Amino acid sequence: MPDTVKYMLDEGRIPKDWYNIVADLPRPLEPALHPGTLKPVGPHDLQALFPEALIQQEASAERSIEIPEPVREVYRQWRPSPLYRARRLERALDTPAKIYYKYEGVSPAGSHKPNTAVAQAFYNKEAGVKRLTTETGAGQWGSALAFAGAEFGLDVRVYMVKVSFEQKPYRKALMEAWGAECVASPSAETGVGRQILAEYPNSPGSLGIAISEAVEAAGQHSDTKYSLGSVLNHVLLHQTVIGQEAMAQLEMAGDYPDIIVGCTGGGSNFAGIAFPFIGVGLRGGPKPRVIACEPAACPSLTRGKYAYDFGDTGHLTPLVKMHTLGSTFVPPGFHAGGLRYHGMAPLVSLLQDLGLIEPRALAQNSCFEAGLQFARTEGILPAPEANHAVRGTIEEALCCKAEGIGRTILFNLCGHGHFDMQAYIDYRSGMLADHSYDEVELHAALANLPKVAAQ
Ligand SMILES: Cc1ncc(COP(=O)(O)O)c(C=O)c1O
């Protein structure tokens, strides 16, 4: 068919397995360390937080891990998600590049996050867990876990970073509609929250703080476990349905990407779109350039250190080797709340160390400008996080134009921005600052990295 815009797969084509890139890595991941002993964590160290099946996935080196049928059954509500050819954006840019985007905003919560929320809720339910605690930055992850909790009959309590909680009251309402509870973080409910409020009563919160609160709260009840929306190996694993579907859809289009672009907060949607393609390259197939777009105000990949660090501000989680700005670094309150995390997934960090991905830091105003150009051509209003991928894609498409080369670009449009209208109002009224992080604070946070013998 000429000029196809949308490439759709039927429900039978939802992947049957998740793809685990660990099987194809040229160098193994370094182990996570216990926060008390600094020795490698064993499965029993994680049992208070996660059910057995997820602990096994976290450590697995199997290339394929079967997706349980009850998870695929819920996935069928919105998966396979569409792959679009951005023909009107291409025309507006007057680029010879072909631009494709995988749209994850069709999920009930409006982003890629339910791909792992549904899986995590399923495994917790199977293990007899009654209640989950979690953090949320943008509110997308909290919504996704609230939805998944409703599907599997689990109570969900969400600690939402205070600046986002204030920017986006309707995200809280959405979580409550699915039966979850949502509180602003730092809160007076946990020891970590009380300590931070005592020192910084006006703290805007951060994902690192909210994670500490959720982990602490999970430890208070034997029927409660903790759920994380990014960073960990099993979370990235669950997101690989995105790239696997995109590969099949590009095959329908008779194309293969030269360039893949994703935005990176903790790394999960980026991994979801990119890992299946990077895996093909690691097994001897084509090797697209892979670009990770992060906010200039929280630049863990471009300015962070590759070192062992805590995943949270309260130092309750294991230490992992990752690109980090330091666990005490509190990023400025810019509008892509899902990208305000001090670290990066160990798997994404290792790929960068191996030179297999290219990081790029982008200022928020340029990303909103790209998002509006996208909305005015393609019609979909991206989430502020996704705008980073849109911006990176437009930059690449304009390079293609300057060089007169028609490359194929694939990017992940990981969520819609319907709950982010205040951000767009602020952008359009010229009120968004291109925050820079505080250099002194960054220096101090990096100076406080834990001393681990083998770095
Ligand atoms: C729409 C959206 N995109 C991206 C992210 C960043 O997370 P990750 O890097 O794990 O995809 C978030 C996190 O909340 C999000 O809500």
Side-chain angles (χ1 to χ4, degrees):
M1 197 204 294
D3 291 351
T4 301
V5 162
K6 204 160 73 274
Y7 295 88
M8 306 292 283
L9 297 169
D10 62 40
E11 288 177 14
R13 302 286 301 277
I14 294 172
K16 297 201 166 48
D17 302 282
W18 290 300
Y19 165 64
N20 185 6
I21 198 168
V22 172
D24 293 317
L25 288 176
R27 196 171 90 205
L29 272 179
E30 293 186 55
L33 305 180
H34 189 282
T37 62
L38 299 188
K39 298 265 182 309
V41 291
H44 58 280
D45 293 316
L46 299 173
Q47 277 160 2
L49 293 181
F50 304 114
E52 190 56 39
L54 292 178
I55 295 172
Q56 276 177 20
Q57 289 180 5
E58 192 58 26
S60 172
E62 295 291 316
R63 182 172 289 122
S64 295
I65 296 180
E66 193 178 340
I67 306 177
E69 189 45 37
V71 173
R72 293 181 84 238
E73 203 245 321
V74 183
Y75 278 178
R76 282 203 276 280
Q77 186 70 27
W78 74 97
R79 304 215 71 84
S81 64
L83 179 83
Y84 287 92
R85 171 89 185 264
R87 294 188 186 272
R88 296 185 301 281
L89 177 64
E90 289 170 14
R91 281 200 292 276
L93 296 172
D94 190 24
T95 174
K98 291 194 241 175
I99 303 175
Y100 292 91
Y101 58 98
K102 184 75 168 152
Y103 184 40
E104 290 294 305
V106 292
S107 80
S111 76
H112 62 294
K113 297 284 181 181
N115 296 331
T116 182
V118 170
Q120 293 191 43
F122 165 76
Y123 289 119
N124 274 287
K125 183 70 180 181
E126 286 261 286
V129 173
K130 300 274 182 287
R131 198 163 163 267
L132 291 174
T133 61
T134 195
E135 72 294 325
T136 194
Q140 287 271 17
W141 167 243
S143 309
L145 198 66
F147 153 65
E151 290 293 332
F152 289 100
L154 293 167
D155 293 338
V156 173
R157 187 161 187 80
V158 181
Y159 293 84
M160 184 166 182
V161 175
K162 197 193 281 163
V163 61
S164 299
F165 185 90
E166 285 162 1
Q167 284 164 350
K168 299 193 210 183
Y170 297 132
R171 273 285 167 199
K172 173 178 189 263
L174 183 62
M175 291 178 228
E176 289 170 348
W178 274 311
E181 296 167 322
C182 174
V183 293
S185 165
S187 77
E189 279 187 8
T190 63
V192 173
R194 285 190 294 275
Q195 202 180 323
I196 289 178
L197 286 173
E199 215 175 323
Y200 309 100
N202 297 322
S203 168
S206 69
L207 277 167
I209 296 169
I211 292 171
S212 296
E213 291 206 88
V215 167
E216 184 182 327
Q220 288 161 358
H221 304 276
S222 59
D223 62 355
T224 304
K225 296 227 185 282
Y226 166 68
S227 177
L228 184 64
S230 190
V231 179
L232 296 176
N233 302 349
H234 67 266
V235 180
L236 275 54
L237 172 83
H238 299 154
Q239 293 294 352
T240 59
V241 287
I242 304 172
Q244 293 184 69
E245 287 177 8
M247 209 176 275
Q249 288 161 310
L250 281 171
E251 203 176 305
M252 288 167 75
D255 261 322
Y256 200 83
D258 300 302
I259 301 171
I260 299 174
V261 184
C263 71
T264 47
S268 75
N269 87 86
F270 170 79
I273 190 96
F275 281 11
F277 290 94
I278 296 176
V280 169
L282 289 170
R283 296 192 299 277
K287 293 184 172 57
R289 279 176 60 213
V290 182
I291 302 172
C293 296
E294 66 179 8
C298 189
S300 55
L301 283 171
T302 49
R303 293 294 313 277
K305 268 196 186 160
Y306 186 42
Y308 270 105
D309 197 7
F310 294 94
D312 68 323
T313 308
H315 298 175
L316 304 177
T317 67
L319 288 81
V320 291
K321 182 129 186 216
M322 62 179 174
H323 282 86
T324 178
L325 298 165
S327 63
T328 55
F329 178 78
V330 177
F334 58 91
H335 264 298
L339 307 184
R340 291 179 70 247
Y341 183 59
H342 67 272
M344 184 51 61
L347 279 168
V348 174
S349 296
L350 176 58
L351 291 179
Q352 175 168 325
D353 203 52
L354 290 165
L356 293 170
I357 64 171
E358 296 171 30
R360 185 174 298 175
L362 299 168
Q364 71 171 344
N365 275 298
S366 71
C367 295
F368 277 98
E369 181 192 5
L372 282 189
Q373 182 169 25
F374 189 82
R376 289 170 189 181
T377 49
E378 295 298 305
I380 300 170
L381 187 79
E385 293 79 9
N387 281 342
H388 291 70
V390 176
R391 174 76 201 181
T393 297
I394 290 177
E395 286 180 358
E396 288 304 315
L398 292 176
C399 281
C400 290
K401 180 177 171 179
E403 293 169 32
I405 302 175
R407 299 188 183 94
T408 298
I409 306 174
L410 167 68
F411 82 93
N412 197 19
L413 187 66
C414 55
H416 67 64
H418 297 174
F419 288 82
D420 302 281
M421 295 319 300
Q422 191 59 49
Y424 280 93
I425 292 170
D426 291 350
Y427 168 68
R428 294 194 50 244
S429 52
M431 280 168 60
L432 286 196
D434 274 335
H435 294 289
S436 197
Y437 50 84
D438 183 334
E439 279 283 355
V440 176
E441 200 198 319
L442 174 63
H443 200 72
L446 284 174
N448 281 335
L449 285 179
K451 305 276 175 287
V452 172
Q455 317 221 9

